[in-house]
Amino acid sequence: MINFPTETQDKLAASPVPVLQGLHDLTPDELLLSQEHYESEVRSYPRRLPVAIAKANGVLVEDSRGQVYLDCLAGAGTLVLGYNHPEINQALIEQLHAGIPYQTLDITTPAKDAFIRELMAFLPQDFAENAKVQFCGPSGADAVEAAIKLAKQTTGRNTIAAFHGAYHGMTNGTMALMGNLGTKARRQGLMADVHFLPFPYDLRCPYGLHGEQGARQGLRYIERMLADDESGVQKPAAIIVEPVQGEGGVIPAPAFWLKELRRITQEHGILLIFDEIQCGIGKTGSHFAFEDSGITPDILCLSKAVGGGLPMSLLVFDKEIDTWRPGEHTGTFRGNQLAMVSGAKAMEIIRRDNLANQAAVTGEYLRRGLEKIAEKTTCIAEVRGKGLMLGVEICDPEGTKNNFGEPQSAPELTVAIQRAALERGLIIEKGGRDGSVLRFLPPIIITFEQIDFALKALEEAIDSLVEPKPVSQPMDSIQQSWREHFIHVGKNGADGFESAMNQSTLALKKLFETTDSPYSGLDPMVLQSQIRRAQLGENPQSLTDVIDETTDLIGKNSIIVQHPHCIAHLHTPPMLPAVAAEAFITALNQSMDSWDQASAATFVEQEVTDWLCKRFGFDEQSDGVFTSGGTQSNLMGLLMARDHIIKQTSGHDVQKDGLPEYADKLRVICSKNSHFTMQKSASLLGLGENAVVCVDTYTDGTISIESAEEAVTSLKAEGLIPFVITGTAGTTDNGSIDDLDDVADLAEKHGLWMHVDAAYGGALILSRHHARLEGIERADSVTVDFHKMFFQPISCGAVLLKDKAHFGYIRHHADYLNREEDVLPNLVDKSIATTRRFDALKVWMTLQNVGPQALGSMVDHLLNQTQQVADLVNQRPDFELLAVPCLSTVLFRYTGSNKGMDLDSLNKQIRLDALVQGRAVVGETVVDGDIALKFTLLNPCLSLNDFEQLLNELETLGGEIAKQSL
């Protein structure tokens, strides 16, 4: 209940919100006409808010007609606890009765001392501990003027840096720091040597990046400007910033941005001034808006709410910069005793009642309400702010964009909404670019019920001026519109599919024909920003437009694996039959778990896995299943091995009963060059990474059988249980292939499960080098990756088992899917995944089109070419070959002619610059402790001339980087 300090119990006392009887009358009454007659044209608020206030209490004001308004302007943030707070009133009355003087210059009084002590308790402790206070004239502008003086005399420098959108006051000095050009258009001779910097403004980012990346780019600009001796900007004495810009449009600076700004200013010896004249004293959900950043300024400017509603301004600054001489900055009314009383009481109440936290809660409530309104209308571009300092940016409801692709501001509509809200009992201010931001700055004592009133008034005001978003269509009409997004059976049912595929094919064809580098060279931050600017899902477009946008944004900025200079990873250019298969796979959308979801697909996958098993030398008892790749295949191989050894050891059923108590004794044997998925799989299987025992290798990178034998023997002697040994057919870096017969002998001798990771080298089974895989037919499980040397699109792999009965370790029957009595095969019986893609079709169509003999010849060519490329590297004096190739990788590094260079850093930079400049995509690894560059040859269509050009490119780049580092 709101109780006004009057004896008359009128309608104001009956409700905590205004009671409306129609729209408020805003025609000028006698008081407003008198003001217009006598007062200068400089008056501003009465033009937009034609209200003659008769009395006020809390968040409500009553005009001279008896109309009541909810005030979300509150003296531009001055009245942080609202109008006529009873405790503040009482404190003032008591002090007046005690004989307190109105003002005392800067002579001290008990009231002044009490204020300072309360202020120090209100400040962050680490700031207050080393702070001095300076009382200035009654306006915030005087505090800023004092801060400028202090900064200049302390540093001996004259330049001041401010920000776009800034507002710091209306004096000669502070107007020079103002962003608004219209306000200072007729002012001449403003303070010189002011430079403006970009403020992080997501909606209208000067770099077109938006979000965090835009803010970081602004920081980079500032830091680069300060470091550039040709920037034309002398080092500033200070940088002044509002942690939340008020008049500039209620734009909060991100906490990380303020933190980085603090770092930059400290590194360059520049004072950092925070202007919290409007955003300070609890309004943003903390005592001060800068607190969330975890930093402190050199100088803090305060006014408005710090006086509890009465005029006061002051500085708080680090005592180390207290360079004032007596009387160097004075002001007759810097000793306003009543403001000190009301200010101290206001801060006491905010601290005592935890009102800053309340402002955070009610502010979030208000923000969410505003966001809901934004969802219903077309004229709100953004809701933003902090705590109870919020802004709503109004834009053209027709969706017009400005020259920068941003929502077009709507200043006339903003004024109209402000007036329509006033007619409905809500006082709000406007500001920002083009005056198109509605600003909410209510007292922090505002209640949820009062916020509901404000939201209702604003929504009704907008609805009176702007058509709401279209109402949803009737269901039958909606369903009809949905049809265009799907493929349908029957005549013309696939016309949309044909059109989309044709457009996509032509777009990709043009992309490949016009691509001249493996990457566009677009800065990664810019790329991320452009993708974010696409505003995912906010403005649905036609599929034609989406395909065009995808081509320009995604396609042109992708890594082009077909390019001769893209040779970094086990990442192959896909073969055409496999790409065609992808269209069948996605359009048919078969799920490879049950036959009734994948009829023909089930038989195709079984046929391909049977063919593979025979190729790898397994008999009729073998079987396999497709996986997402080597990681899943290795996991499945170790899972079967784990459950098998446990069943053999104790008859324990892991699937039903979980791991036995001795599971912590199980050990996996592999070489130090095995893929990291050995450790990853052990972790996922509940054994832990430490269950993987990595043994030494021979100089060629293959597993040392002697070391493996010793490890097995030692583990058994310790009472541990080695249960599986992994052989690798193609290590990731050098392509080393273990002697699989030796591994099989060791496994047989000690009763170990033998798993072979042939993700990289499995394709040798098709080539004339197949003898290098001898012994693989003795393995219990084998990992194969088709998206490596089988030239298939990602993802496509398989795991093969010598004994298909071992799939029983993962079989589980579900009544809805794969019942035990089913006659038709359900491939979910063999997979740890339920839903899977029909990836086997890619291999099927490739074999049908290309054939295994041609595939094997391509593998042979790659292995031969790898040796030739290694020889090319070896012959160049500026390069060093680091290992003899085993499969299709070449490990080397650039050494250059200057032997004093840090080669590790140099080669890292070569790889990075080559990538981001779009010159080449090469790999990076470590060989014997040295950073190495890596070519991975997986494109059989490349010539030696392609590699000559690539080496030339890297050599040139290395020389450029080396020269820059001198």
Side-chain angles (χ1 to χ4, degrees):
M1 181 71 68
I2 301 294
N3 295 312
F4 282 89
T6 63
E7 295 179 358
T8 305
Q9 295 298 312
D10 56 15
K11 62 183 178 181
L12 297 177
S15 173
V17 298
V19 177
L20 302 180
Q21 296 177 346
L23 299 180
H24 282 354
D25 182 3
L26 299 183
T27 58
D29 65 4
E30 183 179 348
L31 286 173
L32 289 167
L33 292 171
S34 177
Q35 180 185 30
E36 182 179 356
H37 177 76
Y38 288 109
E39 202 168 328
S40 164
E41 292 296 315
V42 78
R43 67 192 186 283
S44 60
Y45 287 111
R47 298 180 188 277
R48 302 186 300 277
L49 302 171
V51 174
I53 298 176
K55 56 185 176 180
N57 189 274
V59 188
L60 302 182
V61 299
E62 179 185 350
D63 71 5
S64 53
R65 287 193 173 97
Q67 301 175 130
V68 180
Y69 301 82
L70 185 78
D71 187 359
C72 285
L73 172 57
T78 300
L79 302 165
V80 66
L81 295 180
Y83 293 91
N84 291 310
H85 191 284
E87 289 189 65
I88 293 178
N89 283 355
Q90 186 60 37
L92 289 170
I93 291 169
E94 289 176 359
Q95 289 296 318
L96 286 170
H97 286 169
I100 189 174
Y102 295 159
Q103 64 89 13
T104 61
L105 301 173
D106 62 351
I107 299 170
T108 196
T109 67
K112 184 176 187 179
D113 184 70
F115 173 85
I116 293 174
R117 292 179 184 277
E118 185 59 51
L119 174 65
M120 290 301 177
F122 200 79
L123 290 165
Q125 184 177 356
D126 56 343
F127 187 36
E129 285 175 352
N130 297 296
K132 287 291 187 75
V133 180
Q134 176 183 351
F135 290 90
C136 304
S139 76
D142 192 58
V144 176
E145 289 281 5
I148 295 169
K149 281 186 183 179
L150 180 58
K152 289 184 176 183
Q153 73 189 26
T154 299
T155 63
R157 299 190 292 267
N158 194 56
T159 301
I160 301 290
F163 287 89
H164 302 165
Y167 180 88
H168 299 288
M170 299 289 284
T171 60
N172 185 71
T174 56
M175 281 193 73
L177 306 174
M178 179 189 293
N180 190 302
L181 296 175
T183 304
K184 58 184 183 181
R186 298 195 298 161
R187 312 282 81 79
Q188 301 296 323
L190 296 176
M191 182 177 70
D193 286 343
V194 175
H195 292 274
F196 287 88
L197 306 172
F199 192 82
Y201 185 2
D202 189 20
L203 186 66
R204 306 189 188 282
C205 175
Y207 305 101
L209 294 174
H210 309 284
E212 181 175 334
Q213 295 302 325
R216 291 196 180 279
Q217 194 68 12
L219 290 165
R220 184 183 188 280
Y221 171 85
I222 296 169
E223 196 160 14
R224 189 71 186 85
M225 179 196 77
L226 294 172
D228 187 358
D229 60 356
E230 290 286 339
S231 70
V233 180
Q234 293 183 332
K235 181 184 289 189
I239 294 179
I240 183 169
V241 62
E242 300 159 272
V244 181
Q245 287 192 343
E247 305 296 327
V250 195
I251 309 171
F256 79 86
W257 185 86
L258 291 173
K259 191 171 184 177
E260 281 296 286
L261 188 64
R262 172 73 284 186
R263 175 188 63 79
I264 292 168
T265 54
Q266 285 179 331
E267 290 179 0
H268 287 271
I270 300 168
L271 298 184
L272 180 60
I273 304 172
F274 282 165
D275 179 347
E276 292 228 17
I277 289 168
Q278 186 168 112
C279 63
I281 317 298
K283 289 187 282 291
T284 61
S286 303
H287 286 180
F288 299 95
F290 71 81
E291 289 186 70
D292 290 346
S293 64
I295 62 169
T296 55
D298 295 299
I299 304 173
L300 178 65
C301 301
L302 297 174
S303 186
K304 295 188 184 291
V306 78
L310 296 182
M312 177 192 287
S313 79
L314 55 88
L315 298 184
V316 185
F317 52 84
D318 191 315
K319 61 186 178 184
E320 292 186 4
I321 63 169
D322 188 8
T323 58
W324 291 114
R325 294 174 183 169
E328 278 194 313
H329 191 88
T330 62
T332 301
F333 294 101
R334 66 191 185 279
N336 186 337
Q337 298 298 292
L338 295 180
M340 292 176 186
V341 171
S342 57
K345 179 56 69 173
M347 288 186 285
E348 176 193 332
I349 294 168
I350 293 170
R351 282 202 307 128
R352 182 195 68 201
D353 296 343
N354 199 17
L355 293 183
N357 183 69
Q358 180 176 315
V361 174
T362 51
E364 181 64 19
Y365 184 78
L366 175 56
R367 175 197 285 273
R368 290 183 180 182
L370 294 171
E371 288 172 346
K372 287 181 180 178
I373 295 173
E375 292 172 2
K376 299 175 185 178
T377 185
T378 57
C379 72
I380 295 180
E382 187 174 52
V383 176
R384 58 176 178 261
K386 199 172 183 182
L388 278 171
M389 188 174 180
L390 297 173
V392 177
E393 182 146 353
I394 303 300
C395 63
D396 180 5
E398 299 299 321
T400 307
K401 303 289 186 179
N402 63 18
N403 293 337
F404 306 101
E406 303 159 350
Q408 181 65 53
S409 58
E412 293 180 1
L413 177 60
T414 307
V415 171
I417 294 173
Q418 182 188 34
R419 185 176 181 87
L422 189 65
E423 289 175 333
R424 290 159 176 81
L426 175 64
I427 298 175
I428 48 177
E429 175 59 318
K430 71 178 192 69
R433 268 52 170 201
D434 299 321
S436 291
V437 178
L438 295 172
R439 300 170 55 207
F440 286 79
L441 199 61
I444 62 176
I445 59 168
I446 192 171
T447 66
F448 292 113
E449 185 178 4
Q450 290 167 337
I451 291 173
D452 288 339
F453 175 86
L455 291 169
K456 183 174 184 290
L458 178 67
E459 185 170 10
E460 291 179 355
I462 292 174
D463 288 345
S464 72
L465 297 164
V466 179
E467 287 291 329
K469 286 182 178 178
V471 181
S472 300
Q473 306 171 55
M475 181 55 71
D476 57 349
S477 175
I478 291 177
Q479 287 180 313
Q480 188 62 37
S481 71
W482 290 345
R483 288 183 59 83
E484 68 181 76
H485 303 306
F486 294 88
I487 304 172
H488 306 277
V489 297
K491 186 177 181 180
N492 301 323
D495 286 353
F497 169 73
E498 178 187 30
S499 175
M501 293 299 289
N502 286 340
Q503 184 188 355
S504 299
T505 300
L506 290 173
L508 287 167
K509 180 177 183 290
K510 183 178 180 181
L511 172 66
F512 289 127
E513 288 177 346
T514 57
T515 292
D516 58 4
S517 64
Y519 174 64
S520 65
L522 185 65
D523 185 282
M525 290 174 59
V526 176
L527 175 59
Q528 182 185 31
S529 171
Q530 289 186 355
I531 290 173
R532 183 177 290 127
R533 284 179 62 193
Q535 296 180 317
L536 182 62
E538 291 187 15
N539 299 295
Q541 311 163 58
S542 69
L543 181 55
T544 298
D545 290 342
V546 171
I547 293 172
D548 286 342
E549 179 188 47
T550 301
T551 304
D552 291 336
L553 181 58
I554 311 301
K556 291 181 180 179
N557 295 303
S558 293
I559 303 298
I560 306 299
V561 297
Q562 293 83 357
H563 194 277
H565 289 183
C566 184
I567 199 160
H569 302 287
L570 290 166
H571 189 179
T572 178
M575 301 191 92
L576 283 175
V579 173
E582 286 284 4
F584 280 88
I585 292 167
T586 54
L588 294 172
N589 202 33
Q590 307 291 281
S591 179
M592 301 302 298
D593 41 0
S594 61
W595 191 90
D596 59 1
Q597 298 180 76
S599 50
T602 296
F603 294 131
V604 168
E605 179 168 325
Q606 190 62 62
E607 186 68 17
V608 173
T609 52
D610 287 347
W611 176 85
L612 281 166
C613 287
K614 290 177 183 177
R615 276 287 177 169
F616 281 97
F618 293 149
D619 61 22
E620 297 297 326
Q621 190 60 27
S622 63
D623 200 358
V625 70
F626 268 68
T627 68
S628 61
T631 297
Q632 184 181 343
S633 296
N634 286 338
L635 174 65
M636 290 182 68
L638 264 61
L639 185 154
M640 311 286 186
R642 180 200 66 181
D643 290 7
H644 183 63
I645 188 63
I646 290 173
K647 184 177 182 181
Q648 282 188 326
T649 301
S650 59
H652 194 88
D653 187 339
V654 175
Q655 188 181 35
K656 296 291 191 294
D657 304 322
L659 293 174
E661 61 182 11
Y662 59 82
D664 62 343
K665 296 182 178 181
L666 297 177
R667 294 294 182 268
V668 177
I669 309 297
C670 62
S671 84
K672 291 180 178 178
N673 287 340
S674 295
H675 199 260
F676 74 90
T677 49
M678 292 298 108
Q679 285 83 357
K680 187 172 185 178
S681 297
S683 172
L684 293 172
L685 293 173
L687 306 179
E689 293 186 4
N690 292 333
V692 179
V693 179
C694 297
V695 302
D696 290 335
T697 59
Y698 299 127
T699 55
D700 64 356
T702 61
I703 189 170
S704 167
I705 294 299
E706 292 81 7
S707 296
E709 172 87 45
E710 182 180 340
V712 172
T713 303
S714 175
L715 289 169
K716 287 184 175 180
E718 295 176 33
L720 301 174
I721 308 172
F723 70 97
V724 60
I725 184 167
T726 298
T728 304
T731 56
T732 304
D733 279 339
N734 202 32
S736 302
I737 299 176
D738 293 337
D739 188 321
L740 300 179
D741 261 330
D742 283 352
V743 174
D745 289 341
L746 183 63
E748 188 175 317
K749 176 180 178 181
H750 291 280
L752 306 178
W753 179 289
M754 177 184 174
H755 176 73
V756 176
D757 180 357
Y760 182 8
L764 266 65
I765 205 70
L766 305 180
S767 81
R768 61 183 177 83
H769 294 274
H770 60 84
R772 296 177 65 182
L773 297 181
E774 282 186 7
I776 200 169
E777 72 282 356
R778 300 169 65 187
D780 295 285
S781 55
V782 175
T783 287
V784 185
D785 260 12
F786 303 105
H787 52 238
K788 293 185 173 67
M789 294 184 79
F790 284 83
F791 315 111
Q792 300 297 292
I794 294 169
S795 58
C796 192
V799 62
L800 309 178
L801 296 186
K802 183 166 62 177
D803 185 352
K804 60 186 174 185
H806 292 145
F807 276 124
Y809 292 124
I810 61 171
R811 185 174 295 116
H812 185 92
H813 291 287
D815 290 339
Y816 81 96
L817 190 64
N818 60 330
R819 295 148 297 276
E820 290 191 63
E821 67 272 14
D822 282 351
V823 177
L824 293 170
N826 296 308
L827 297 186
V828 73
D829 291 348
K830 301 188 294 184
S831 178
I832 60 174
T834 302
T835 303
R836 290 188 297 113
R837 299 178 79 247
F838 182 19
D839 288 317
L841 184 63
K842 295 183 283 193
V843 180
W844 166 278
M845 290 181 64
T846 299
L847 291 173
Q848 294 293 81
N849 174 235
V850 181
Q853 184 175 350
L855 285 172
S857 296
M858 293 177 193
V859 174
D860 290 336
H861 168 77
L862 286 175
L863 269 60
N864 180 59
Q865 190 176 63
T866 301
Q867 300 296 328
Q868 294 174 317
V869 172
D871 190 52
L872 287 178
V873 172
N874 219 16
Q875 292 176 19
R876 287 180 172 244
D878 285 350
F879 290 97
E880 176 186 8
L881 186 68
L882 296 176
V884 176
C886 296
L887 269 180
S888 67
T889 56
V890 180
L891 304 175
F892 67 102
R893 65 176 176 171
Y894 176 81
T895 57
S897 56
N898 186 345
K899 302 305 179 184
M901 293 183 294
D902 179 351
L903 295 181
D904 283 353
S905 298
L906 177 60
N907 281 274
K908 278 177 174 286
Q909 197 63 44
I910 289 173
R911 185 198 69 83
L912 182 60
D913 285 3
L915 172 63
V916 298
Q917 294 176 21
R919 297 164 75 166
V921 182
V922 298
E924 177 189 317
T925 188
V926 178
V927 178
D928 295 332
D930 294 326
I931 297 296
L933 300 178
K934 179 169 72 169
F935 289 165
T936 306
L937 280 66
L938 285 178
N939 187 344
C941 302
L942 301 185
S943 67
L944 281 180
N945 185 57
D946 292 319
F947 290 97
E948 288 276 12
Q949 293 179 15
L950 178 54
L951 288 168
N952 289 340
E953 192 76 43
L954 296 177
E955 189 171 357
T956 300
L957 186 57
E960 292 171 355
I961 296 171
K963 185 180 295 183
Q964 292 171 4
S965 64
L966 294 178

